[in-house]
Structure formats: structure tokens, C-alpha cells
């Protein structure tokens, strides 16, 4: 394998590879295959389904629940054991299904490899399976071929390759076999190289294979994907902390209870059962299921907004996103070349419309007629000196068959009223010179009746010296003197500074051959660009309003990247950093550079990965968007990778956490809005669930400390944790978003879910529940009621307090009375739970297992009066939060 094959002279490279211009012999190719291995991408060691399933149990909360299950079963509490087991199994299976589908990126890369290639061996051209190619092989390339391996060109005739999946370039790369480049030249500028997985779109050529398999540029990306780990989301980290804390609390509680009981002389088994009941009260058994289900419901809502989530935990990461690193081509731009400006030497014209849809206006800047004679002649010449076709699909989408630059000329001529089919019939082509990277021009000769006309298009510096006159607005000819030529070249330079690709178009009447190119008439300049998406501008503005920093990362030239970024509002006062500058930076310098960099241009896959990691080292939550193979490693490393569903490659989609179904940048902002709502709702139901558990724990621990009987049975605790808490928690997961959600800063990932306000509400609700229920339990015991009646009243009071808290916790700041019943799912959940509570209380079949009795009206009034007191307590806490 050759490290920098693009920087050697061709004869030196051939010598280094020990090959010949006629290729290898079959024997030598076989020998090298033994040395270098097959030309295919290796997969990393795959994880077996059983191992994936086992890894689902490496969750502290799951382990705690399993221990509780085993102890409950051992002590004969079958109902508790079965109920907890169902919850654990549900959460584990959902996690397994997610991760079983998560590692397909390498397979997608492998599918992009060419199945067979034309190779010259023993001096004879033959088809060879692509995986049998070796360094030194001579590969024959023609239009439509997928390049099978990285190679140095030894011949290139008008050769152009689409390298967008690898480099992000929106235009095909023009190749020159005799170019010798400096070491360190970016991939997008390596004109003498072709790369595995890219496609030849024009011309033909031959290349000596320099790298195969994992040593190719595609292979290096595959290797990076294997090495790149997936970061845990803030929610996963927070839940791990919660699980660990609850597990420690459960162990401490059991230990304390056992010690206190033994000091009082109670039987060991009785003490242990009591301790397990308290441990069950600590652990929110419904939490894993509620988290999974709520994220799944959020995913369904996001699909309606054209965002498909592939990894459930990544949903809440959207709410914390602080930086969006976006690829340019096809993401912020349309990936459809569009003519923006025309210049005829006397008239400057602007063209509206975007993409391949032939709709838009042509307007004169200088006050002259927009469709003057030179403009019409230029548009006609651009349409005839052209091999592209504009087609419309059944769903109404316009596409170009052929070169995107030529397609842009077809579209702008259509906007002026031309029809290429009719025009090409009137002006039949009788001679041509295809575009050549050496001459940088294309020539076509056409016959119409008895006359002929020659049209030439190409680089302005190539076309203008061939011209002797220009067509003025009245249809007459003016001499193209030095002043006029300087004026035209100055306009071309201005277009170039605005990142427009400039083509000059000229003609010659009654010139029957494509060879006699002198005395041409200059018709005009066409400036074109891959335009930003209209909706992307608004999306960028919404990002800034939401406190999110948009950053462009592209393989395009810095001039192009700067112009597009300024138009979109991404580049304001920050820096534009090139790939060459990135190479010169160490990690510390890069972490400093990303602070004020707003555009990264001419970057490689390694650069994208380094940029994402640099942002993460600064504490940012990074979303990375992209559609090409070159984006895959960074997509996987980012906190949330976002791929394109239409234009994206399989590789980028499999490496990402989210896919945009409409390839629309604005859908990212909609997804972030949805993600923030989901994050808020996660906080709501976690506050609700854990506040409930604090109330239960306080009740049980208080009874133990004061030497009281057990106020709740284990079945009652489990019912509250699973049934009573479960449905309202799920209803809070679909709570409507609060107003102004996209006008506030992103959620602070360092703060986590448990902010000061959340902790205050959670503790206030839990502690007040403890006080109320302990007081009610003791009052009932000392007012002549049996222990069973006192326990039933305490159980009902606990359940009702949970219901009131569910409504209170819909907002951390807003009073509960402002929009009390806005969540219809919560209303239905509470109604259902009230029915279930009535069944548990009044159906004799359930009285025995639940340890309840049929409460009279008087007891209900006392219980309700106690439970409703939680509302003013929480509202007072909210008042302090609003003031703070």
C-alpha cells in the first residue's frame, strides 16, 4: 500500500508499486492477493444476540428489581415477584430489540463496493471480481463505473467522478492524470486519484490500484466506525445515578430495619420481610417501563414531523442540544446547481428560483431589458452546448440526467421560455468537442436550415481570448477590446468571490467545424451555485433564538462555504477554518479554535470526528447532520447523529440516531422542539414517580422509627408503584409543551434532570405526603378503627395524594389552576385509576389480597380532606421557584 500516491511522479509510483503500464501478470496478482488480502471491508467482531441480551441486565435499576424479585419469591410473595418480573422483562426486551439493529454501518459500506471491475492483466482486458484486486493492478474506468479501489490515474480523458459521498463536494471532481500534488493535499483536491466507492460520471480513464480493502479511504472510514464508541445520553447517565442511589438506599434501609428489629427482639424473618417491603417502596418499579414507553410515544410524534428516531434514549438529547454541526451539501443546500446571475458585457441580470424546478424570474439589475438579445442568445447557446436532460418524476419532482452544471443551464433557459426538445430539433448537432479538463471547454456545432452556428462554453479565462466581439443589447456587434475584456473578467472575479461557479458562453455563425475556434462572439457569463434551502435560513434563525449554535462542516472550498454560510446566517463574526489549518492544530488548539469557528471547510472524515470531539470536550451537546459516507464516524460519535432519509447513504443512516425523512434542515428544529417537550415531560414524570416513592419511603421508615405497625402491605406498595403511578406517569409523558419552549436556552446537561426546582418539588411533595399519611394512620388507629381500616385509609390517602401531585407537576412554575385539565390523557388516566381504586375497595374478591375494607362515606371525606392539602403546599414551592 502506498501512503501518499498522489505526490509521486507517475514513473516513480509505478516503480514503487513494482508494476508496469500494462498491468500485472495473473501469477503476480495471485501472489499479492496472498500478501494484501481481499479487497473488501472487514467487519469488527460481531456481538452475539445472547451477549446483547445479557448486556441489558447491566443496569443498576434492573439488577435491584431482580434482587427484589428473587427475595419476594423466596419468601413466598408470588404476586410481587411475578409483577416485578413482567416489568423487568418488558424493559429488557425493548432494549435488546433496539441494540440488535444498531450495528449495520459496516454492512452498508460493504454493499457500496463494486462487484466486478475491468482490469488489464497479462496485457489483456478482463472482468475480475472487485475483491480480487491488488495494489499494482491496472483498472479501466468509464462513465457509470463504481470505482473498485483507490488508484492513481495513468490516463484520463474528460474524466469526472462523483465524490460527494466521500468528500461532500456538490460537483463532480475533474481528474488530471499528470498532476503531481504536494503531500497533505486534501482528498477533495487530489485530481490525480480515484477512490473506492465513488462513481465515474463522465469520460474514461485508467488507474493503478494503490490501496485495497481497509487501506482505502472507505476502509479507513469503516475502521473509524469500528473504533468510535457511542456516548451515553444525559438521560441514561441520570437514570444510572438514580438506580445506583436507590440501590444503595434500599440496602441501607434493609440493614437499618434488620438491626433495629433485632435490637427490639423481633423474629428475623419478620424483620427481613419488613425490610424488603421498604426496599420495594424505595425502588420505582414502573420507571424503566415508563421511560421506554414515553420515549416510544415521543418517537411516534416526531415521525409526524419528518424525524425518525433510531435510538430511543437519544430523543431527550435533542432537548439538551447546544451545537448543530451541519454538512453543507444536500443538508443546508439543495444539492442542485442553480444559475443566480447572468452578465453579457452590457447587462447584469439576476435569476430567482432555486433548484431544478424551472420556475423563477429573470430581472435586469442595470435597468436594461432582462431578456435582451445577448441574454437570449446566451441562454440558447447554454441549452444547445449541453448534454443534460431535465425530467419530471410522477410525484412532480424535477431531476437532472447528466452533469449538474449543464442541468443548471437547461433550467435557466426554461425560465426564459426555451424548450430544449424543440430547440434541439431546430438546431441539430453536426459536430462537437466534449469537455476536456485540459482545454476546459465544450464545443458543439449545429445546423438550422442552410446556416450553421457554433457554441462554446467553458472557463472565462479560456473562452474570452478566443472572442473578438460581443453582442450588444440592440443586437449589433461591438469590438471586444482590452477594456471590455477587463470588465468581463472583473465581473467573473466578483461572481467567484460570491462562490459562484462561472461559465462563459460564446458563438460563431456559419462555422461548420468544431476546430476553427477564433473570432468568436462573446455572449455572456453564467454564475451558478448549489443554493441554500429556503427553509434552512429560517431554521438557522430559530436555532439561534433557541440558544443553539449552528456550525457548517463541509468538504467544499472555503470561498463557497463562506458565501453559503453568510447567506444562511451561520457565519456572522466567527472564523472559517480549513482542513489544512486543522491538520496543524493539536487537540488543545482545536478545542480553543471551535469556540469562535462557525465554518469548517475542505475537511476530511477524520477532521469531522475531531471537530465533534472538540466541541464535546468544551461541554457542548453536539448534533451532527450529514448524508455521506464521510459523515458516518462523526455521526456515530456525536451526542445525536442526524442523517438524511432521501439523499443519505445507508452508511450514514445506520451510524445515526435520527433520520430526517424529508432531508429538510428545518425538520431538525422541529425535532429539537419536540425533543425539548419530551425532556420536560421526562422531568415531570420522574418528579412525580420519585416524589411518590419518597412519600412511601417516608411513611414506612417513619413507622419503623416510631415503632408503629406496618402502614401498608407489600401488595399495596406494589400496586401504588406499578398501577397507580404508572398510568399518570405515562400521561405526563405526552403532556402538551409549555408556551415559549423554543425561546429559552437548551437544557443544561451538567445540571441533569434533577435541577433545584425539580428537587424542591419532589421533596416537598414526598415529605408532605409522609407527614399527612403518618398522621392519618395514627389518628385512625387511636380513633377506634382496626389496623386493617387504618391501613386502608392510609392506602387511599396515598393514592389520592399521587393524583393531586400528577396535576401539580405538569409545570414547575405555572399554577395548577391555569390549565388544570389541558392533558386529556392525564384526565383519562386518573379517571381509570379512580375506577380501579373503587374496585380494590368495594369488590370483595380483592379485599383479601389487598388487605382493604369497604370504606364508608365519612372515611372518604376525611381521606380526601387530608389528600387535598398537598395542592397548596406544592403551589407555595412553585411561588418560591418563580421568585428565584
Amino acid at each position: 500500500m502506498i501512503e501518499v500516491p498522489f505526490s509521486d511522479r507517475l514513473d516513480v509510483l509505478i516503480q514503487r508499486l513494482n508494476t508496469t503500464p500494462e498491468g500485472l501478470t495473473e501469477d503476480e496478482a495471485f501472489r499479492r492477493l496472498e500478501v494484501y488480502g481481499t479487497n473488501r471491508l472487514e467487519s469488527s467482531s460481531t456481538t452475539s444476540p445472547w451477549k446483547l441480551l445479557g448486556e441489558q441486565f447491566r443496569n443498576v435499576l434492573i439488577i435491584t428489581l431482580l434482587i427484589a424479585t428473587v427475595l419476594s419469591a423466596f419468601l413466598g410473595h408470588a404476586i410481587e415477584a411475578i409483577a416485578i418480573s413482567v416489568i423487568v422483562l418488558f424493559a429488557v426486551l425493548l432494549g435488546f430489540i433496539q441494540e440488535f439493529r444498531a450495528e449495520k454501518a459496516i454492512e452498508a459500506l460493504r454493499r457500496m463496493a463494486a462487484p466486478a471491475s475491468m482490469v488489464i492483466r497479462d496485457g489483456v482486458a478482463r472482468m475480475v471480481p472487485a475483491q480480487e484486486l491488488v495494489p499494482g493492478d491496472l483498472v479501466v474506468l468509464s462513465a457509470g463505473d463504481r470505482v473498485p479501489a483507490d488508484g492513481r490515474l495513468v490516463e484520463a480523458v474528460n474524466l469526472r467522478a462523483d465524490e460527494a459521498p466521500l468528500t461532500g463536494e456538490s460537483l463532480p471532481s475533474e481528474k488530471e492524470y499528470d498532476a503531481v500534488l504536494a503531500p497533505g493535499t486534501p482528498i477533495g483536491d487530489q485530481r490525480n486519484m480515484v477512490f473506492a466507492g465513488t462513481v465515474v460520471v463522465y469520460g474514461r480513464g485508467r488507474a493503478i490500484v494503490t490501496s485495497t480493502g481497509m487501506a482505502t479511504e472507505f476502509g479507513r472510514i469503516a475502521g473509524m466506525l469500528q473504533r468510535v464508541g457511542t456516548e451515553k445520553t444525559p438521560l441514561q447517565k441520570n437514570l444510572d445515578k438514580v438506580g445506583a442511589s436507590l440501590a444503595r438506599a434500599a440496602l441501607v434501609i434493609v440493614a437499618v430495619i434488620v438491626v433495629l428489629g433485632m435490637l427490639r427482639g423481633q423474629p428475623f424473618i419478620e424483620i427481613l420481610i419488613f425490610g424488603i417491603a421498604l426496599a420495594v417502596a424505595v425502588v420505582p418499579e414502573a420507571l424503566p417501563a415508563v421511560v421506554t414507553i414515553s420515549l416510544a410515544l415521543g418517537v411516534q410524534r416526531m415521525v409526524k414531523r419528518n424525524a425518525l428516531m433510531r435510538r430511543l434514549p437519544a430523543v431527550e438529547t435533542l432537548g439538551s442540544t447546544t451545537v448543530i454541526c451541519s454538512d453543507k451539501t444536500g443538508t443546508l443546500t439543495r444539492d442542485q446547481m442553480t444559475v443566480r446571475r447572468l452578465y453579457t458585457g452590457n447587462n447584469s441580470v439576476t435569476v430567482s428560483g432555486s433548484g431544478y424546478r424551472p420556475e423563477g424570474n429573470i430581472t435586469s439589475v442595470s435597468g436594461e431589458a432582462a431578456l435582451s438579445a445577448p441574454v437570449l442568445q446566451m441562454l440558447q447557446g447554454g441549452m444547445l452546448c449541453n448534454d443534460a436532460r431535465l425530467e419530471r418524476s410522477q410525484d412532480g419532482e424535477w431531476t437532472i440526467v447528466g452533469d449538474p452544471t449543464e442541468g443548471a443551464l437547461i433550467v435557466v433557459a426554461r425560465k426564459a421560455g426555451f424548450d430544449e426538445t424543440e430547440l434541439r430539433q431546430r438546431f441539430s448537432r453536426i459536430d462537437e468537442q466534449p469537455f476536456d479538463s485540459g482545454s476546459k471547454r465544450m464545443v458543439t456545432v449545429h445546423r438550422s436550415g442552410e446556416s450553421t452556428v457554433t457554441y462554446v462554453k467553458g472557463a472565462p479565462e479560456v473562452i474570452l481570448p478566443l472572442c473578438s466581439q460581443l453582442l450588444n443589447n440592440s443586437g449589433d456587434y461591438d469590438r471586444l477590446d482590452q477594456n471590455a475584456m477587463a470588465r468581463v473578467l472583473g465581473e467573473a472575479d466578483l461572481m467567484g468571490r460570491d462562490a459562484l461557479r462561472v461559465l462563459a458562453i460564446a458563438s460563431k455563425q456559419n462555422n461548420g467545424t468544431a476546430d476553427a475556434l477564433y473570432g468568436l462572439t462573446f455572449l455572456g457569463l453564467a454564475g451558478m451555485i448549489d443554493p441554500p434551502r429556503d427553509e434552512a435560513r429560517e431554521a438557522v434563525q430559530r436555532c439561534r433564538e433557541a440558544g443553539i449554535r449552528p456550525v457548517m462542516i463541509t468538504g467544499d472550498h472555503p470561498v463557497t462555504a463562506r458565501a453559503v454560510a453568510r447567506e444562511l446566517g451561520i457565519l456572522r463574526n466567527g472564523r472559517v477554518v480549513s482542513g489544512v489549518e486543522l491538520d496543524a492544530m493539536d487537540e488543545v488548539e482545536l478545542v480553543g479554535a471551535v469556540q469562535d469557528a462557525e465554518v469548517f471547510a475542505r475537511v476530511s472524515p477524520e477532521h469531522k470526528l475531531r471537530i465533534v470531539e472538540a466541541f464535546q470536550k468544551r461541554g457542548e451537546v453536539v448534533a451532527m447532520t450529514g448524508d455521506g459516507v464521510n459523515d458516518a464516524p462523526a455521526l456515530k460519535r456525536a451526542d445525536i447523529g442526524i442523517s438524511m432519509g432521501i439523499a443519505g447513504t445507508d452508511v450514514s443512516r445506520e451510524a445515526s440516531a435520527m433520520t430526517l425523512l424529508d432531508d429538510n434542515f428545518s425538520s431538525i428544529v422541529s425535532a429539537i422542539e419536540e425533543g425539548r417537550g419530551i425532556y420536560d415531560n421526562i422531568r415531570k414524570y420522574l418528579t412525580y414517580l420519585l416524589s411518590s416513592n419518597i412519600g412511601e419511603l417516608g411513611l414506612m421508615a417513619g413507622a419503623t422509627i416510631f415503632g408503629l405497625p406496618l402502614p401498608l402491605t407489600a401488595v399495596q406498595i406494589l400496586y401504588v408503584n406499578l398501577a397507580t403511578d404508572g398510568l399518570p406517569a405515562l400521561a405526563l409523558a405526552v403532556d402538551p409543551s409549555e408556551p415559549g419552549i423554543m425561546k429559552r436556552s437548551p437544557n443544561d446537561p451538567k445540571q441533569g434532570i434533577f435541577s433545584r426546582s425539580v428537587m424542591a418539588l419532589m421533596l416537598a411533595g414526598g415529605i408532605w405526603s409522609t407527614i399527612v399519611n403518618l398522621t392519618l394512620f395514627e389518628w385512625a388507629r387511636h380513633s377506634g378503627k382496626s389496623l386493617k381500616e387504618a391501613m386502608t385509609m392510609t392506602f387511599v390517602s396515598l393514592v389520592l395524594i399521587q393524583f393531586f401531585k400528577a396535576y401539580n407537576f405538569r409545570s414547575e412554575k405555572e399554577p395548577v389552576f391555569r390549565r388544570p385539565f389541558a392533558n386529556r390523557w392525564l384526565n383519562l388516566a386518573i379517571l381509570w385509576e379512580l375506577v380501579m381504586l373503587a374496585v380494590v375497595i368495594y369488590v370483595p374478591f380483592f379485599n383479601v389480597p389487598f388487605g382493604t375494607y369497604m370504606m364508608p362515606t365519612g372515611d372518604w371525606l376525611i381521606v380526601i380532606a387530608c389528600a387535598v392539602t398537598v395542592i397548596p403546599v406544592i403551589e407555595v414551592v412553585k411561588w418560591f421557584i418563580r421568585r428565584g
Side-chain angles (χ1 to χ4, degrees):
M1 308 290 178
I2 302 298
E3 286 298 316
V4 281
F6 54 84
S7 62
D8 283 333
R9 290 202 326 269
L10 202 50
D11 57 339
V12 175
L13 180 68
I14 290 172
Q15 186 177 1
R16 288 179 67 192
L17 283 168
N18 193 21
T19 186
T20 69
E22 289 76 36
L24 301 173
T25 64
E26 281 288 355
D27 292 340
E28 177 63 15
F30 180 78
R31 188 191 69 79
R32 294 190 185 193
L33 190 62
E34 294 291 317
V35 174
Y36 294 110
T38 56
N39 178 35
R40 62 191 300 272
L41 300 179
E42 300 170 0
S43 59
S44 57
S45 54
T46 56
T47 304
S48 70
W50 290 111
K51 185 176 180 181
L52 273 179
L53 185 61
E55 287 177 352
Q56 304 308 310
F57 292 92
R58 295 173 59 186
N59 178 302
V60 178
L61 199 55
I62 294 293
I63 292 172
T64 305
L65 290 174
L66 286 175
I67 292 172
T69 302
V70 172
L71 289 173
S72 297
F74 177 74
L75 297 172
H77 295 270
I79 296 176
E80 295 97 314
I82 292 171
I84 299 173
S85 297
V86 169
I87 294 298
V88 170
L89 184 64
F90 180 76
V92 164
L93 285 178
L94 277 178
F96 168 73
I97 291 169
Q98 281 175 232
E99 295 188 14
F100 187 68
R101 302 174 55 216
E103 299 300 327
K104 296 180 181 177
I106 302 301
E107 283 301 319
L109 274 168
R110 191 176 292 121
R111 288 195 297 271
M112 292 185 73
S117 301
M118 181 68 72
V119 179
I120 296 177
R121 287 183 181 170
D122 293 321
V124 179
R126 64 188 68 181
M127 293 299 293
V128 172
Q131 66 180 15
E132 295 180 10
L133 290 181
V134 295
D137 260 327
L138 183 61
V139 179
V140 180
L141 301 170
S142 57
D145 288 347
R146 188 178 293 276
V147 180
D150 289 1
R152 171 70 179 271
L153 289 165
V154 296
E155 177 186 312
V157 180
N158 304 325
L159 187 66
R160 278 179 272 176
D162 179 9
E163 297 177 350
L166 189 64
T167 66
E169 280 278 11
S170 54
L171 291 173
S173 176
E174 297 175 7
K175 298 300 180 180
E176 301 174 21
Y177 78 93
D178 53 355
V180 177
L181 309 173
T185 302
I187 294 173
D189 293 332
Q190 293 177 19
R191 305 186 306 278
N192 57 8
M193 293 287 295
V194 287
F195 300 100
T198 61
V199 178
V200 176
V201 296
Y202 198 86
R204 57 186 174 83
R206 296 186 182 193
I208 294 177
V209 174
T210 56
S211 301
T212 58
M214 296 299 287
T216 63
E217 291 297 327
F218 263 45
R220 290 193 307 106
I221 294 172
M224 289 164 63
L225 280 173
Q226 292 173 7
R227 295 189 297 271
V228 171
T230 303
E231 289 289 313
K232 282 192 173 183
T233 69
L235 176 62
Q236 289 172 317
K237 294 173 184 175
N238 274 292
L239 290 182
D240 284 348
K241 289 179 183 177
V242 171
S245 299
L246 292 177
R248 286 194 294 268
L251 290 173
V252 169
I253 288 166
V254 172
V256 169
I257 293 303
V258 169
V259 170
L260 287 176
M262 292 180 69
L263 289 176
R264 291 173 181 167
Q266 293 176 275
F268 177 75
I269 293 296
E270 181 183 329
I271 300 170
L272 190 59
I273 293 173
F274 195 46
I276 290 171
L278 282 176
V280 169
V282 172
V283 179
E285 286 84 356
L287 184 57
V290 171
V291 170
T292 305
I293 294 171
S294 67
L295 291 178
L297 292 173
V299 166
Q300 291 180 5
R301 293 199 305 275
M302 293 178 79
V303 167
K304 296 177 182 178
R305 304 185 77 166
N306 294 308
L308 175 64
M309 299 301 302
R310 295 187 61 255
R311 298 174 191 158
L312 291 184
V315 173
E316 55 86 28
T317 310
L318 284 168
S320 303
T321 299
T322 58
V323 174
I324 299 178
C325 294
S326 177
D327 187 38
K328 179 184 75 68
T329 305
T331 308
L332 291 166
T333 64
R334 299 176 62 91
D335 198 14
Q336 298 178 350
M337 293 299 291
T338 303
V339 173
R340 284 281 185 85
R341 298 218 300 260
L342 302 172
Y343 179 74
T344 63
N346 297 300
N347 193 6
S348 185
V349 172
T350 61
V351 183
S352 65
S354 181
Y356 294 147
R357 183 178 293 275
E359 297 174 0
N361 298 316
I362 300 176
T363 308
S364 175
V365 175
S366 57
E368 302 288 343
L371 296 178
S372 59
V375 172
L376 292 172
Q377 280 293 315
M378 175 173 55
L379 295 178
Q380 178 173 297
M383 183 170 267
L384 289 173
C385 189
N386 199 313
D387 291 324
R389 297 196 317 273
L390 179 65
E391 295 183 351
R392 191 175 189 180
S393 61
Q394 291 183 347
D395 58 3
E397 290 296 317
W398 293 90
T399 58
I400 286 294
V401 179
D403 185 86
T405 301
E406 294 191 332
L409 294 174
I410 294 285
V411 173
V412 71
R414 281 279 197 101
K415 292 176 182 178
F418 286 98
D419 180 274
E420 66 266 33
T421 303
E422 183 271 333
L423 194 64
R424 287 168 178 172
Q425 288 175 351
R426 280 200 296 122
F427 292 85
S428 57
R429 187 181 297 186
I430 59 174
D431 195 8
E432 65 181 295
Q433 281 184 3
F435 181 88
D436 180 272
S437 57
S439 64
K440 294 186 178 180
R441 68 189 181 211
M442 177 179 179
V443 185
T444 58
V445 183
H446 305 267
R447 183 183 301 281
S448 178
E450 297 300 319
S451 62
T452 62
V453 60
T454 299
Y455 287 108
V456 186
K457 77 171 189 287
E461 64 272 17
V462 173
I463 302 301
L464 278 170
L466 303 175
C467 298
S468 60
Q469 59 186 9
L470 58 82
L471 187 64
N472 63 31
N473 292 330
S474 61
D476 297 325
Y477 297 94
D478 295 335
R479 181 169 170 268
L480 186 65
D481 55 21
Q482 291 298 319
N483 290 335
M485 189 172 293
R487 192 167 63 247
V488 173
L489 288 174
E491 181 66 24
D493 183 60
L494 286 175
M495 288 185 181
R497 291 180 191 178
D498 290 338
L500 298 179
R501 186 183 186 192
V502 186
L503 285 180
I505 300 174
S507 68
K508 187 174 184 180
Q509 296 294 326
N510 297 314
N511 184 43
T513 174
D515 297 321
L517 295 179
Y518 55 87
L520 301 182
T521 299
F522 172 75
L523 298 178
L525 302 175
M528 60 191 71
I529 195 172
D530 177 15
R533 292 176 178 269
D534 295 332
E535 59 274 13
R537 296 183 186 89
E538 181 186 350
V540 168
Q541 180 60 30
R542 289 188 67 199
C543 282
R544 293 199 181 280
E545 291 175 354
I548 300 167
R549 179 181 166 195
V551 176
M552 180 189 290
I553 304 179
T554 178
D556 257 351
H557 194 279
V559 173
T560 305
R562 179 181 283 106
V564 173
R566 283 200 186 282
E567 187 171 344
L568 285 168
I570 291 176
L571 183 62
R572 300 194 296 185
N573 303 312
R575 295 171 57 192
V576 177
V577 180
S578 70
V580 174
E581 292 175 280
L582 282 172
D583 285 331
M585 295 180 186
D586 59 24
E587 296 307 313
V588 176
E589 291 173 324
L590 180 56
V591 171
V594 298
Q595 183 174 5
D596 59 354
E598 293 176 334
V599 176
F600 294 89
R602 270 291 189 257
V603 297
S604 67
E606 292 93 337
H607 292 149
K608 294 187 177 187
L609 188 57
R610 288 182 64 203
I611 292 166
V612 169
E613 291 173 339
F615 275 116
Q616 290 173 331
K617 287 176 182 176
R618 295 191 64 87
E620 307 284 2
V621 177
V622 183
M624 167 73 188
T625 75
D627 58 0
V629 174
N630 59 335
D631 300 321
L635 286 173
K636 191 172 181 182
R637 170 62 75 188
D639 296 285
I640 178 161
I642 306 172
S643 61
M644 304 295 115
I646 299 173
T649 60
D650 287 344
V651 182
S652 62
R653 284 194 287 267
E654 294 297 336
S656 65
M658 184 175 92
T659 298
L660 299 181
L661 300 180
D662 59 353
D663 287 13
N664 195 328
F665 184 81
S666 64
S667 295
I668 299 172
V669 184
S670 299
I672 288 175
E673 182 178 1
E674 194 68 50
R676 287 189 176 188
I678 291 169
Y679 187 87
D680 284 356
N681 290 346
I682 289 172
R683 286 165 60 119
K684 292 174 189 177
Y685 67 65
L686 281 178
T687 305
Y688 171 70
L689 285 175
L690 295 179
S691 173
S692 301
N693 283 91
I694 290 171
E696 295 166 36
L697 173 61
L699 175 62
M700 304 296 278
T704 303
I705 291 170
F706 294 117
L708 304 178
L710 195 66
L712 299 172
T713 67
V715 173
Q716 287 173 346
I717 293 172
L718 203 61
Y719 178 84
V720 171
N721 281 7
L722 296 178
T724 303
D725 289 353
L727 279 181
L730 279 177
L732 287 174
V734 293
D735 204 45
S737 297
E738 294 188 47
I741 196 170
M742 288 300 285
K743 299 291 184 181
R744 71 187 193 206
S745 298
N747 303 313
D748 186 357
K750 295 178 182 177
Q751 183 184 66
I753 289 175
F754 301 104
S755 63
R756 290 175 61 185
S757 57
V758 167
M759 292 297 294
L761 290 170
M762 190 164 46
L763 290 173
I767 291 171
W768 186 254
S769 174
T770 298
I771 294 170
V772 168
N773 288 319
L774 269 178
T775 303
L776 176 63
F777 180 64
E778 270 300 275
W779 174 84
R781 285 181 61 236
H782 290 87
S783 62
K785 296 185 182 295
S786 67
L787 179 60
K788 181 178 182 180
E789 291 172 336
M791 292 175 69
T792 301
M793 291 181 70
T794 304
F795 167 64
V796 174
S797 172
L798 179 65
V799 170
L800 294 182
I801 285 175
Q802 313 291 58
F803 293 164
F804 288 129
K805 285 195 291 188
Y807 283 101
N808 271 103
F809 290 155
R810 287 190 56 242
S811 175
E812 294 177 18
K813 296 181 179 180
E814 278 194 11
V816 67
F817 309 107
R818 185 161 296 177
R819 296 184 304 155
F821 304 112
N823 187 341
R824 65 188 182 96
W825 295 110
L826 181 59
N827 301 335
L828 291 172
I830 297 299
L831 181 62
W832 170 256
E833 292 297 344
L834 284 172
V835 172
M836 293 301 296
L837 181 63
V839 169
V840 168
I841 299 298
Y842 291 110
V843 176
F845 176 79
F846 293 103
N847 287 159
V848 175
F850 280 90
T852 56
Y853 82 107
M854 298 183 185
M855 283 174 53
T857 304
D859 288 355
W860 271 104
L861 292 175
I862 294 170
V863 168
I864 292 172
C866 290
V868 80
T869 59
V870 77
I871 295 178
V873 170
I874 293 178
E875 288 304 311
V876 169
V877 174
K878 286 186 183 181
W879 182 80
F880 279 107
I881 291 173
R882 288 195 297 272
R883 285 177 60 89

